[in-house]
Amino acid sequence: MGRPFRILLNNTKVYSCASCRTHLACQDELVSKQFHSKSGRAYLFNSACNTTTGPQEERMMTTGMHIVCDVYCVECMACVGWQYLFAYEKSQKYKEGKVVLERLMLVDFERTSQPAPASLRSAGSSPQGSAMLASRSPSSDAGSMGSGGSGRGAYALVVGAGAPPGHPCWGDYTSDEDDAV
């Protein structure tokens, strides 16, 4: 088993784990801020990255019975929310497959339109080992890995080996296994 991927999201507003600052979701995936959790406010997202899930369980929520699983940060393993797997009530079916992240477990920041830092522009400069930089500019080839950002702050750093699952916040890309160490 290899080390897990950590994806640095490529958006102007990113929600990160409050414990370790690992990126979890982006503003583009936010569906609603009108959710509540045991710790207070919570946000519903279409998807989240850098997370792992616990076992499925039936849980009685304010809106009825659901089958859910807890969602954990892949870096520090803090429980950051839950994912709806199945809703028994027809009016709640829109939640299926979506992720709720507890506001208390998140920090958010807005990225300025600055170019990528020099330390992130060269592949392999990450202190965690091998790194690949995926540029997300309209003129770049979506499947290629570049060694530079688009110059407008649109970049994603993927740390680990192999190709991570696609995430709508940073688009599609492919990678060769030989590129990672």
Side-chain angles (χ1 to χ4, degrees):
M1 176 149 182
R3 67 179 169 214
F5 285 104
R6 286 194 331 252
I7 301 169
L8 296 181
L9 296 176
N10 184 18
N11 289 66
T12 54
K13 187 162 188 178
V14 174
Y15 296 94
S16 303
C17 175
S19 300
C20 66
R21 304 298 194 257
T22 298
H23 292 186
L24 299 175
C26 61
Q27 181 72 31
D28 297 346
E29 293 295 303
L30 182 63
V31 175
S32 174
K33 291 185 175 184
Q34 302 300 317
F35 279 71
H36 298 280
S37 68
K38 58 187 171 219
S39 65
R41 289 177 34 194
Y43 296 166
L44 179 69
F45 291 90
N46 281 321
S47 65
C49 63
N50 297 321
T51 59
T52 187
T53 56
Q56 296 180 13
E57 62 182 68
E58 280 191 341
R59 198 177 291 170
M60 179 56 89
M61 309 283 219
T62 9
T63 55
M65 184 65 78
H66 294 83
I67 296 178
V68 300
C69 58
D70 287 332
V71 173
Y72 301 91
C73 172
V74 77
E75 182 68 20
C76 67
M77 295 308 290
C79 184
V80 293
W82 66 90
Q83 181 175 15
Y84 288 102
L85 301 174
F86 182 78
Y88 290 103
E89 295 185 29
K90 191 174 183 179
S91 65
Q92 301 299 309
K93 291 284 186 186
Y94 76 96
K95 296 178 183 176
E96 289 181 356
K98 294 187 173 39
V99 178
V100 174
L101 299 177
E102 297 182 31
R103 186 64 184 111
L104 185 65
M105 301 304 295
L106 299 175
V107 292
D108 57 317
F109 67 92
E110 292 193 28
R111 187 183 314 256
T112 60
S113 58
Q114 300 293 325
S119 62
L120 293 180
R121 279 186 247 163
S122 60
S125 63
S126 171
Q128 289 81 20
S130 66
M132 298 175 285
L133 187 62
S135 176
R136 185 183 182 218
S137 67
S139 61
S140 69
D141 178 17
S144 67
M145 303 304 291
S147 61
S150 67
R152 293 186 301 274
Y155 53 89
L157 179 69
V158 181
V159 179
H167 192 278
C169 289
W170 57 273
D172 300 324
Y173 89 89
T174 58
S175 123
D176 296 329
E177 290 293 325
D178 297 333
D179 289 344
V181 175

